[in-house]
Amino acid sequence: QRFRRCSPGAGAGAGVFGCSCCCCCCPCVRPSVLMSAQRPGRRGRSGSGSRGRVRLVYRSLQSAQDYLESGDHGTAFAHYLLLLNLAPELKEIIRESFQNTLFKWAEELNSLSRIQDIFDCYEQALELYPNNEVIWNSMGEHLFSMGFRDEAAGYFHKAIKLNPDCADARENFYRVANWLVERWHFLMLNDKKRNIAYQRAIQKAVQSGCMSVLDIGTGTGILSMFSKKAGACQVYACELSKTMYELACEVVASNEMASEIKILHMKSLDVEIPKDLSSRVSLVVTETVDAGLFGEGIVESLIHAWKYLLLPPKPAGHEGPTEGFGRVIPLHAVVFGMAVECKDIRRHHRVCITDVGGIHVNEAITWYSPVNSKLCNGDAAEPYTTERMRQVPGGYTPLTDHFHAMTIDFNSPQDLEELTDRKPCRLCLPVIKEGMLDAIVAWFVLQLDDETSLSTGPDEETCWEQAVYPIQGVLGQTVKCGDTLVVDVSCKNSYLVFHSIAVLTQENRKEIKTNTASDHLACEAELCNALANLQTTSDPGMTLQCMLESSEIARLNNTHYNDHFKAALSSVLSSLMPMDNGTHFSQIGDDRNRDMNCENTNFHNSSDPTLDTLYLLDVSEGFSMLPLIAAKLAPIKVFSSLEKTQQQATLSTLAESNNISKDQLEFWHNYLDDDSTLLQRPQSGKLWSVIILDSIETCGLIRQGLVEKAALARCLLRPEGRLLPQCITIYGMLIDSEALQQESAVQGKEPTLGFNIAPFINQFKVIYYYYVVNIIHISVSFLQ
């Protein structure tokens, strides 16, 4: 649904034969036309044989058109294949009809999950039309929808090569490029300081005798090329991503090193000796680290490398030659952190308000985002999110000093293997400034060798973001100078985790010291150990749990958004429910809500024959309180489009606690046979009074298919019914941003130290960005 199919080349109203007739049954295709379409210079046959061929071709064409018109696209496609095999000279004449038949038949096959048949049909089509960018683009769409992103990109890229003006294929390619080549590749390659540091460390290692190198997670191959340029005899590189593997091959070839660097399309965990490497290597170089250090699997890959791919490590205290020993760049890493107050992090990860558009938020509900350091919840993908803290809107305030959290030695196989089994390290951190405890922010220093290091800290001019561990639940509170923050640090499930966070206040410290007779609690660390769970989140078994995406939490916290929607709903509903006695309709609604709660009145069984029930449908993406806001304003029937059972239970609980009758709120998906079609009539013979369309994505984009949805929604409204929002006004301005350029494309050979990488990776640059407010920029025009 997010991809665009190339439009047919012919102008509107033109038939496939250049006439004004319908494509499906064009009467202009006569035997004489077919005769004239034969290839020039083709050997003649007997007159009867030629006429017989023409009749057969004409009957095949007529059959294809008849089946297409009747909606039998599979049979029509088969007849077109027969026709084109009989008369390939007709390819251009029937091209558009063939394309349309292929697309419709592929959609039917997709609905039946006949995936292999789709591939077969497109393979046959591309054999007949190898230079047709529309078919290449369409096949890419199907591949992407099935999850084959690398393959889809190849088809989109082929369509662009065939026709650089194919706007739909280009847009599709830009969309998929975000998945194939993540944006941080551009920032890292533009980070000259980082590139120089790695080049210096690799050169020093090779010159000390490390002549065989394995680059794990090679990306564009830049570390491999550093190794070869330094003089390494054997250089291997492995890359799992098909797109990045092919990109690395192109880059290495362009820099005339294709015969000197062996690139493997596989995970390092699958590399074997002597199948892939001739022997164990003396140096592994890698930067398979994320903002949380361990998130890209560096620990697992290095444990495997030390066991199966690397020469043994140099023994401690050995001062002789390094020949015969293995080593890793980076040498080790040191993790740092600090506690911060940050309004922007808070509004995305903690529901901070008690009223949403007039709906009281029940304390019995525990809200949380997918970013969960406990890692015990199946919904939690990672225990942290990432931010470039020096650019976060509104800034941040440190509440503790920077603290040392952990050191990991990548050149010690024992240290790596023991990492996940280590007991959590408990830290007691003095609070240095009063503020709201919103998150723990973590970063690290990569020590590449004894002399060279890279810091990812928030104060550094670096391509790196920092790991952010939001504080969720009731622990979000104000801390004061003199309080102590208790934090456990560990590596769990290959992630750096800050957990068991507790706050020890001065009052609690005095109370414990007064009531504790044992001397062994005099030590602050032991005291903190006793109080570690003093102030943590409440027992999850006592409350209803509701997980929301960070964008959904931010919308709940957006009082401006909710209050304006409440005002709009109030205006719309008052116009649909006029009051003759001057009483405001919301007062009537409140009274009726109370009556319904007492008498369990049902709208459909109302004894008032003049009552015409109003129906409201909210098709917002994600969690939305708008149905409850509307039901609180007036006695109407509201339908929510929430699908998740957990979120439905949350909305029902909020309705009950806000005295909204159970009869007023229903979940629209429970009534649908086909979940893909939300916009349907509420009942036979009924139409909607209000339909709320979720028009704008949180990143600022207008949602795909909005115009089509609005057109359909209008057909399902009562004559006096309303769509919300009523209209959208789009504003824009011109900006100048060096940071945006750094994220968009590699800026020539200079940042990559002379290696030719930019032309290849810049094929994957995108033409638009989200959340530009987070990027340093200068406005060069007025808001328009």
Side-chain angles (χ1 to χ4, degrees), residues 192-205 226 287 327-334 410-411 444-455:
K192 188 175 180 179
K193 179 181 176 182
R194 167 254 185 192
N195 297 335
I196 290 174
Y198 260 97
Q199 184 185 52
R200 183 181 298 135
I202 290 171
Q203 184 173 7
K204 182 179 175 182
F226 286 163
E287 201 178 19
R327 60 175 295 188
V328 172
I329 296 178
L331 185 67
H332 67 259
V334 183
F410 297 128
N411 282 271
F444 55 88
V445 173
L446 277 183
Q447 196 69 39
L448 302 184
D449 60 21
D450 293 333
E451 300 175 351
T452 310
S453 64
L454 287 172
S455 172

Side-chain angles (χ1 to χ4, degrees), residues 616-646:
L616 179 147
L617 173 64
D618 178 18
V619 291
S620 298
E621 296 282 340
F623 189 84
S624 171
M625 298 272 273
L626 297 179
L628 295 190
I629 294 173
K632 188 72 173 177
L633 289 170
I636 65 173
K637 190 86 169 179
V638 296
F639 289 82
S640 166
S641 58
L642 290 178
E643 295 182 75
K644 296 180 181 178
T645 304
Q646 181 191 63

Side-chain angles (χ1 to χ4, degrees), residues 211-389:
M211 303 305 291
S212 56
V213 182
L214 172 61
D215 177 7
I216 295 179
T218 192
T220 59
I222 189 170
L223 300 187
S224 296
M225 293 189 293
F226 286 163
S227 302
K228 192 61 194 177
K229 186 176 180 180
C233 297
Q234 295 176 305
V235 180
Y236 304 92
C238 58
E239 175 58 51
L240 179 61
S241 163
K242 182 174 183 292
T243 298
M244 295 308 299
Y245 162 75
E246 293 174 348
L247 186 61
C249 291
E250 290 181 332
V251 168
V252 168
S254 173
N255 289 274
E256 300 180 352
M257 294 184 180
S259 62
E260 300 173 299
I261 299 175
K262 181 179 179 181
I263 305 178
L264 307 169
H265 180 212
M266 61 176 63
K267 293 174 65 175
S268 67
L269 301 179
D270 298 327
V271 175
E272 298 178 3
I273 295 174
K275 178 183 176 182
D276 304 304
L277 309 184
S278 60
S279 61
R280 286 179 177 260
V281 298
S282 53
L283 176 64
V284 162
V285 295
T286 187
E287 201 178 19
T288 50
V289 293
D290 67 342
L293 186 60
F294 304 131
E296 292 209 6
I298 188 172
V299 173
E300 183 183 14
S301 63
L302 289 184
I303 289 174
H304 176 270
W306 279 115
K307 284 183 177 179
Y308 304 109
L309 307 176
L310 259 170
L311 292 171
K314 184 178 177 179
H318 181 83
E319 297 181 358
T322 59
E323 186 176 351
F325 298 111
R327 60 175 295 188
V328 172
I329 296 178
L331 185 67
H332 67 259
V334 183
V335 180
F336 297 92
M338 64 179 171
V340 301
E341 177 183 51
C342 181
K343 186 176 180 180
D344 192 67
I345 293 174
R346 185 191 315 152
R347 75 183 183 91
H348 280 91
H349 296 280
R350 188 162 71 240
V351 176
C352 308
I353 57 177
T354 58
D355 184 278
V356 179
I359 301 298
H360 177 69
V361 179
N362 197 327
E363 293 83 357
I365 299 172
T366 298
W367 312 86
Y368 64 97
S369 74
V371 183
N372 193 328
S373 62
K374 293 182 179 180
L375 286 180
C376 60
N377 190 309
D379 293 325
E382 290 184 339
Y384 51 83
T385 183
T386 62
E387 294 284 353
R388 191 165 284 109
M389 294 302 294

Side-chain angles (χ1 to χ4, degrees), residues 53 96 124 170 205 210 235 308 351 362 513 607 620 652:
R53 174 183 173 278
E96 291 183 21
Q124 292 171 308
R170 185 170 293 279
C210 296
V235 180
Y308 304 109
V351 176
N362 197 327
K513 286 184 176 180
S607 59
S620 298
S652 297

Side-chain angles (χ1 to χ4, degrees), residues 561-577:
Y561 172 92
N562 295 314
D563 289 345
H564 277 69
F565 250 106
K566 177 183 177 181
L569 285 167
S570 177
S571 175
V572 167
L573 294 175
S574 63
S575 68
L576 297 175
M577 301 178 64

